[in-house]
Amino acid sequence: MAVSIMGAVFGLFVGLVVAGSVSSTKFEELFQPSWAADHHVHEGDVLKLKLDYYSGAGFASKSKYMFGKVTLQIKLVEGDSAGTVTAFYMSSDGPKHNEFDFEFLGNTTGEPYLVQTNVYVNGVGNREQRNSLWFDPTKDFHNYSIRWSPRQVLFLVDDTPIRVHTNLERRGISFPKDQPMGVYSSIWNADDWATQGGRVKTDWSHAPFIASYRGFEISACECPVNVAAAENARRCTDDGSRRYWSDEPTMSVLSVHQSHQLMWVRAKHLIYDYCTDTARFPVTPAECVHHRH
């Protein structure tokens, strides 16, 4: 898939974002280990997280953010990765937290990886979608991005949209736009559900399982911990005297090209969509009724 022109335009607008924004590509400037630091291995500009029988590993951003774009370049676990999950997500704190998830579900050798996305709003998730990919994510690094504006949440793979979650507050549906979020990634054992519904378990004879990272990028509005959430929300959106990229209409809706890309992904690579799971949801979730994608 061709890289959208919108990606270049996005970069221009990020460069114009003013006070309160942060943009960097170095792990140590943006992130720190959140658990199992002894399972982190740095090799030049590549960070490797290791999962073995004793522990997985994870890292977290040093700051929290509201609105912007976060990208990690990830090369997923090679070979038999059944039972493992490599996660990349944004999340706020507390029982009413908001969260945007990428979860890469391992599989047996020769089987395709599945990418599960999920959106939590006010502590409630259950909005899973699963996609296959149009490449082998274990052979090279690929860009995985979350783009968050007051109008939508967009999940992208190599700048190709795979999911959009639109602000439908006008329909009385809550949207995550008032809680600063941290950025996180981890690798862990989830063989009770991750591969074929938990039927295939982790084969520890293949450990350690390695997920590799590089190209850490956060272009977003940084939220000081001593500032109230409401004030951060005001700071990180347009107040009439300055413009943030996330307030630009061209950055908050899909371009025609992106819409076509998303339709292609849904037609060729969508494996599961909670919106059509009538067994779990006899009554169609409200946002599914109104979402165009």
Side-chain angles (χ1 to χ4, degrees):
M1 300 293 292
V3 176
S4 171
I5 293 175
M6 293 298 290
V9 178
F10 169 82
L12 174 62
F13 272 100
V14 166
L16 297 177
V17 175
V18 290
S21 71
V22 61
S23 180
S24 184
T25 59
K26 294 183 178 180
F27 175 85
E28 62 274 12
E29 292 181 358
L30 298 174
F31 295 98
Q32 59 193 359
S34 55
W35 56 289
D38 60 340
H39 282 54
H40 292 61
V41 179
H42 291 269
E43 296 181 355
D45 63 349
V46 174
L47 168 67
K48 295 184 175 181
L49 294 189
K50 180 172 65 174
L51 167 66
D52 56 26
Y53 185 75
Y54 303 99
S55 180
F59 60 83
S61 60
K62 296 179 179 179
S63 299
K64 288 184 168 59
Y65 308 91
M66 289 192 70
F67 311 129
K69 184 180 181 183
V70 178
T71 299
L72 296 182
Q73 294 181 22
I74 307 174
K75 182 167 68 173
L76 297 173
V77 177
E78 295 188 66
D80 187 346
S81 57
T84 71
V85 170
T86 304
F88 161 41
Y89 59 104
M90 298 182 69
S91 181
S92 57
D93 299 327
K96 297 291 187 180
H97 75 290
N98 299 324
E99 185 175 327
F100 314 136
D101 296 340
F102 274 107
E103 292 178 309
F104 304 94
L105 312 183
N107 219 322
T108 55
T109 302
E111 295 295 320
Y113 252 89
L114 295 182
V115 179
Q116 176 169 285
T117 57
N118 202 354
V119 176
Y120 283 73
V121 184
N122 296 327
V124 179
N126 298 323
R127 297 179 177 89
E128 300 92 345
Q129 291 183 2
R130 290 188 182 183
N131 292 82
S132 62
L133 292 167
W134 50 96
F135 54 83
D136 184 342
T138 72
K139 298 304 182 185
D140 204 350
F141 289 90
H142 291 268
N143 292 300
Y144 302 94
S145 304
I146 299 169
R147 202 176 85 186
W148 176 29
S149 81
R151 301 189 185 189
Q152 65 180 14
V153 181
L154 189 61
F155 296 81
L156 304 109
V157 176
D158 289 336
D159 285 323
T160 296
I162 66 166
R163 179 175 186 172
V164 61
H165 184 84
T166 305
N167 186 336
L168 294 172
E169 289 179 308
R170 67 187 185 282
R171 304 280 188 176
I173 299 168
S174 296
F175 181 81
K177 65 178 182 60
D178 57 358
Q179 299 180 33
M181 289 187 169
V183 183
Y184 306 89
S185 190
S186 59
I187 184 171
W188 47 288
N189 178 43
D191 66 4
D192 57 333
W193 66 271
T195 305
Q196 298 181 29
R199 290 187 294 274
V200 181
K201 302 300 183 181
T202 303
D203 184 348
W204 293 109
S205 70
H206 294 163
F209 303 99
I210 304 293
S212 301
Y213 300 79
R214 70 183 187 192
F216 307 88
E217 297 183 15
I218 298 178
S219 297
C221 183
E222 188 171 7
C223 297
V225 295
N226 60 343
V227 175
E231 175 61 16
N232 276 320
R234 188 195 65 77
R235 288 176 57 254
C236 294
T237 54
D238 180 30
D239 66 358
S241 64
R242 58 179 179 242
R243 299 291 293 179
Y244 289 92
W245 75 265
S246 58
D247 294 305
E248 294 295 330
T250 54
M251 293 294 101
S252 297
V253 297
L254 298 184
S255 68
V256 172
H257 178 58
Q258 287 176 318
S259 294
H260 290 164
Q261 288 179 312
L262 182 58
M263 287 189 287
W264 174 80
V265 169
R266 291 185 62 85
K268 300 294 185 179
H269 294 281
L270 182 64
I271 304 297
Y272 172 83
D273 185 353
Y274 78 104
C275 286
T276 59
D277 190 340
T278 55
R280 286 180 65 198
F281 303 103
V283 177
T284 303
E287 68 269 18
C288 298
V289 174
H290 301 291
H291 271 146
R292 292 178 296 173
H293 303 290

